[in-house]
Amino acid sequence: MDEQIVQVKIHPAIGIARVGNSSGTPFIGPESPHQKPFPPGSHKDASGAVIKQAARFRVYGYDRAGEVVRELKLGESDVTEIRWSVHLANKKAAWYRFHIPLDIPEAVSLTSEQRGRRNAGVTGAERRKLVIDPGVRTVRASLDEVGTFDTGTIMGRKVPLGSISTEPTGRLLVVGGNGKSASYTTPEKPITGVTNNDTWYDDVSDGPVTAEVTIGGQTRKATPAWVVVAPPHYAPGVKTIRTLYDVLQDVFATEETLSDEDVVSYADHIEPILSRFCGLQWTNHGFATQFGWKGPHDFLDPALRARLADPGGSSQELRRQVYVQMRDYARDSTSPLPWPWLYGDAMSSGKGTSERQHIRLSPTQDRLLTRWAEGRFQPGPLREHHEDVDEAPVQEQPALLDRAALENCAADAFHPGCEVTWPVRSKTMYAEPLRIQHRAPGSPERDYGAVLSDQQVKSEDGPLHAQGPGDLTRWMAAPWQCDAASCRSGYQVLSGLGPRYSPYLPTFWPAQVPNHVLKREDFDIVNDPGVDLESRKHAFERRAVWLRGLTGSDFNKQRRQMIDDWSDFGIVETHQYTAGDGRFPESIQVESVPGERLRGAPDHANLVNVQVPQAASPLLAAEAGTWSGELPAERVEAALVTQAIAEAMRSTGHDEAAIAAGYLEKLDPLREFQ
């Protein structure tokens, strides 16, 4: 192998950090797709504050053939300096309003107002004050320097975005903000929606990561990377069925079919898809019923697993039946029944009108499952799985780092999402696979005007090409907590509440923001062999609504509460079942005890989520300043919501505590045309 290094690259190509309000030492985000979950207590400190997730970056040397030679570490193999630069920014308040992805057909029906700017009342040069941009920070690994993003402001208010530092090896650590969101006006402007709350800001961010490596007396510029500082992952041991890595993998797919030379492995390709259905049992009760422990589709049950991994004819019909359950837009249209039971890009409340009401598997996932259903696969892995990326062959490490960071992120529904949203599906955003194209420093993006038209979005100098600091997260909800409080299951209008209504399914992003969880007190019963088996079974089957601590039934007031209480919600962590009798799974994912302010709520609070379209007129008119009714808009809205709650109680048989109701513009994106 050629040992001469001719190129240097940063990995992961896109790193993910996450905000937290703990002052304790951050933990490093996942670096291997096969990495084991952290032990309980790793995500909150002793005071209950959320520990930050740091993104760690490394540099690797490549030879002329493009093969990895080694990781370049400070003080090893003539590496005398690694000089890192990072530029974080938050542009949400200065960007455009989000309703649905602008790359799907339904977007052509959006109005100019829906495509308009956030904080449209701020005009001219004042709009620059809406961008939180502390500038570039540079650190030299040899000097153990620290760079702090503490000079950015919004309308004169200082907003810290995090810091960078290096490890003794020269690896870079990027740590994000504190999870603080606020309104820049006093008194604060009321929360009125999910994604577009004017005057409100948060401290998530993103931006370019660059490096220069001095090796053998010569300094080489590394192929750059990107970092995204996202909200917390409230269920870090759970992966969604179609991850961000799956989405981006298809952005760069050049073939519509697998070649006969491509070997499909059950262990590498198929079980990761099926096991994610099972993993959602810890964050959604509907998935727990069907795909959970001892459920009818428990793909991890040893007996069923053996059949699924058997390429022989005796298992062919089983494989086929599993495959045909997966959603096919041409066959299924808006049906909620096919798998996976997750909302899609064009989700709207009530009976959907678009095939994108729900998601489907990625094209690559579908092709892999097709080959599996046909029996053209091998049961075992193609290569050894490494829980620790440093134990993998060095040639495999960069790809593992790239994949691990993105595989623990949510993909569509990009509504808008959790970490990033729909623009990442555009190939024009990238310099090479998974690597964001950087806008040249000193080359500001052009002004798109008061309305972001479809033509501007698709133009060659539009927002889907080279990116600058803050450009990935600017499309996300402002602030993020309002979207997190709205990531629920079973959204329905009153007419849909009946015997076929489920409050558990479909759902948005339960892998990132749980719906229904196993409480710690119930796990303690399950794990106690001294308790009678029937009581343990009941405790295992019980699930509490994760958002049960949000009080009242008004969606907007609940979203406002989430801005204050986001760190008090439990984090789902992996516990070991130690009773040793085989009655329950060896690993059980359990909600950490919520903060004191959220305790005491009934387990079923906020279980039923009712969209009230009638409340749209007073709510939106009041927000726009055009309400002309005899009664104040808030009183009309409140009366409509109260009436809806009463009707929902009659329809479902649940008590008032179980029902949250109101108008969510997120669930009615095309309201002007319905």
Side-chain angles (χ1 to χ4, degrees):
M1 179 180 178
D2 185 0
E3 293 292 324
Q4 184 178 2
I5 293 172
V6 300
Q7 187 179 19
V8 177
K9 291 188 177 184
I10 303 172
H11 292 278
I14 302 174
I16 306 295
R18 298 184 185 275
V19 300
N21 61 340
S22 171
S23 59
T25 302
F27 64 91
I28 308 298
E31 295 188 310
S32 168
H34 312 291
Q35 186 170 313
K36 285 187 175 180
F38 291 106
S42 298
H43 300 92
K44 287 196 172 186
D45 64 21
S47 71
V50 173
I51 300 172
K52 297 178 181 181
Q53 174 179 308
R56 180 160 63 182
F57 293 88
R58 316 173 185 211
V59 284
Y60 285 84
Y62 288 74
D63 63 21
R64 286 185 176 83
E67 300 293 328
V68 179
V69 176
R70 62 180 180 274
E71 181 185 353
L72 304 181
K73 298 180 181 180
L74 188 67
E76 296 183 9
S77 302
D78 295 328
V79 177
T80 56
E81 185 64 274
I82 305 177
R83 186 175 184 268
W84 294 95
S85 295
V86 180
H87 189 168
L88 295 180
N90 177 310
K91 295 179 177 176
K92 288 185 179 183
W95 194 236
Y96 295 88
R97 301 169 70 84
F98 179 92
H99 289 279
I100 57 175
L102 299 182
D103 62 345
I104 61 175
E106 292 80 0
V108 300
S109 297
L110 292 175
T111 66
S112 295
E113 186 274 334
Q114 289 173 311
R115 287 175 172 268
R117 286 170 164 162
R118 292 172 176 157
N119 299 294
V122 180
T123 59
E126 287 292 295
R127 291 196 65 80
R128 289 198 292 269
K129 296 181 180 179
L130 296 171
V131 176
I132 306 168
D133 187 355
V136 179
R137 297 293 184 269
T138 298
V139 294
R140 290 167 292 179
S142 67
L143 300 180
D144 197 25
E145 294 176 323
V146 175
T148 305
F149 299 97
D150 57 358
T151 58
T153 61
I154 183 168
M155 303 304 284
R157 290 190 175 205
K158 186 172 287 188
V159 184
L161 295 182
S163 64
I164 59 173
S165 61
T166 58
E167 296 180 328
T169 57
R171 296 171 180 173
L172 175 73
L173 295 178
V174 181
V175 178
N178 299 318
K180 173 70 175 177
S181 298
S183 171
Y184 60 71
T185 60
T186 304
E188 68 182 35
K189 187 173 181 179
I191 292 293
T192 58
V194 178
T195 58
N196 305 302
N197 291 288
D198 282 354
T199 78
W200 284 85
Y201 62 90
D202 58 32
D203 58 2
V204 305
S205 61
D206 69 279
V209 178
T210 61
E212 294 179 348
V213 181
T214 302
I215 178 171
Q218 294 185 329
T219 299
R220 295 183 180 273
K221 287 187 176 181
T223 301
W226 206 268
V227 65
V228 173
V229 180
H233 191 170
Y234 284 103
V238 180
K239 294 180 181 180
T240 192
I241 292 167
R242 178 177 175 176
T243 70
L244 186 57
Y245 179 78
D246 295 319
V247 169
L248 298 192
Q249 186 180 37
D250 275 309
V251 170
F252 301 98
T254 57
E255 300 292 336
E256 288 301 314
T257 58
L258 296 169
S259 69
D260 289 337
E261 288 74 31
D262 291 323
V263 179
V264 174
S265 155
Y266 183 81
D268 291 340
H269 301 126
I270 307 304
E271 187 165 71
I273 300 173
L274 300 182
S275 66
R276 292 174 193 167
F277 283 84
C278 302
L280 292 181
Q281 68 180 294
W282 308 117
T283 55
N284 179 278
H285 190 52
F287 277 89
T289 301
Q290 290 294 325
F291 301 99
W293 174 256
K294 302 300 183 185
H297 302 106
D298 180 6
F299 298 129
L300 298 180
D301 176 78
L304 179 57
R305 192 180 187 185
R307 295 183 63 197
L308 295 170
D310 175 14
S314 61
S315 298
Q316 184 169 354
E317 183 58 18
L318 171 64
R319 298 192 306 270
R320 187 188 69 84
Q321 289 193 19
V322 170
Y323 172 65
V324 299
Q325 293 292 328
M326 304 298 174
R327 187 176 309 280
D328 177 357
Y329 284 158
R331 178 194 67 183
D332 304 316
S333 187
T334 62
S335 172
L337 299 181
W339 301 344
W341 297 318
L342 300 173
Y343 289 127
D345 284 348
M347 181 272 180
S348 61
S349 58
K351 187 176 181 179
T353 58
S354 167
E355 64 184 14
R356 281 167 286 279
Q357 176 77 3
H358 308 95
I359 76 163
R360 60 181 175 181
L361 297 182
S362 73
T364 294
Q365 288 176 316
D366 186 78
R367 291 192 291 270
L368 290 167
L369 286 175
T370 299
R371 182 76 65 83
W372 167 71
E374 294 170 348
R376 294 193 291 154
F377 68 97
Q378 70 174 40
L382 301 179
R383 58 180 58 87
E384 185 179 357
H385 293 174
H386 296 277
E387 296 173 2
D388 184 343
V389 68
D390 288 307
E391 294 180 356
V394 69
Q395 292 79 14
E396 298 177 16
Q397 291 178 13
L400 291 176
L401 292 167
D402 292 348
R403 177 182 163 193
L406 299 174
E407 208 169 72
N408 286 274
C409 295
D412 36 9
F414 284 137
H415 215 265
C418 293
E419 294 89 6
V420 292
T421 188
W422 65 271
V424 299
R425 293 189 293 220
S426 175
K427 197 170 185 178
T428 58
M429 298 265 291
Y430 301 90
E432 61 181 61
L434 306 184
R435 211 169 283 276
I436 298 293
Q437 175 73 50
H438 292 208
R439 186 182 307 120
S443 302
E445 188 174 26
R446 70 182 177 93
D447 187 340
Y448 300 111
V451 175
L452 186 61
S453 69
D454 191 53
Q455 292 74 20
Q456 289 170 324
V457 170
K458 296 176 180 177
S459 65
E460 292 186 1
D461 60 347
L464 302 185
H465 290 266
Q467 302 293 292
D471 284 1
L472 295 190
T473 54
R474 61 185 172 179
W475 307 86
M476 307 303 291
W480 67 264
Q481 290 96 334
C482 291
D483 196 20
S486 308
C487 296
R488 308 188 188 187
S489 59
Y491 277 116
Q492 191 54 268
V493 294
L494 284 171
S495 61
L497 299 180
R500 296 184 185 276
Y501 168 71
S502 167
Y504 305 114
L505 297 166
T507 179
F508 272 109
W509 306 281
Q512 312 295 114
V513 185
N515 305 136
H516 323 102
V517 293
L518 182 68
K519 297 193 299 183
R520 177 60 190 265
E521 61 195 69
D522 284 328
F523 169 73
D524 289 341
I525 295 172
V526 171
N527 202 35
D528 185 350
V531 176
D532 68 275
L533 181 59
E534 204 59 31
S535 295
R536 294 165 69 198
K537 287 181 178 179
H538 283 307
F540 182 79
E541 293 296 331
R542 269 195 298 272
R543 294 294 190 271
V545 176
W546 183 70
L547 289 172
R548 64 192 180 277
L550 295 180
T551 58
S553 56
D554 184 301
F555 279 145
N556 280 324
K557 291 181 180 177
Q558 289 190 352
R559 288 194 284 266
R560 179 62 187 84
Q561 181 189 344
M562 188 71 170
I563 292 172
D564 291 334
D565 293 349
W566 65 271
S567 64
D568 285 332
F569 285 84
I571 292 181
V572 177
E573 299 179 305
T574 302
H575 290 247
Q576 296 305 308
Y577 176 65
T578 58
D581 56 11
R583 299 284 187 178
F584 299 98
E586 292 181 3
S587 295
I588 299 177
Q589 299 200 37
V590 183
E591 177 199 46
S592 65
V593 178
E596 189 171 350
R597 289 182 295 182
L598 304 184
R599 298 174 199 167
D603 288 355
H604 66 290
N606 299 315
L607 175 64
V608 177
N609 298 288
V610 182
Q611 168 82 328
V612 186
Q614 302 90 328
S617 295
L619 179 68
L620 298 173
E623 183 182 355
T626 59
W627 176 253
S628 58
E630 294 182 5
L631 296 175
E634 58 269 20
R635 286 183 58 185
V636 176
E637 179 197 359
L640 291 169
V641 170
T642 299
Q643 179 183 358
I645 290 173
E647 292 184 28
M649 291 169 61
R650 288 192 293 270
S651 298
T652 65
H654 287 291
D655 62 20
E656 185 173 358
I659 299 167
Y663 175 74
L664 278 78
E665 86 290 351
K666 172 177 178 173
L667 308 186
D668 196 13
L670 306 177
R671 58 182 177 271
E672 299 289 338
F673 300 89
Q674 293 176 345

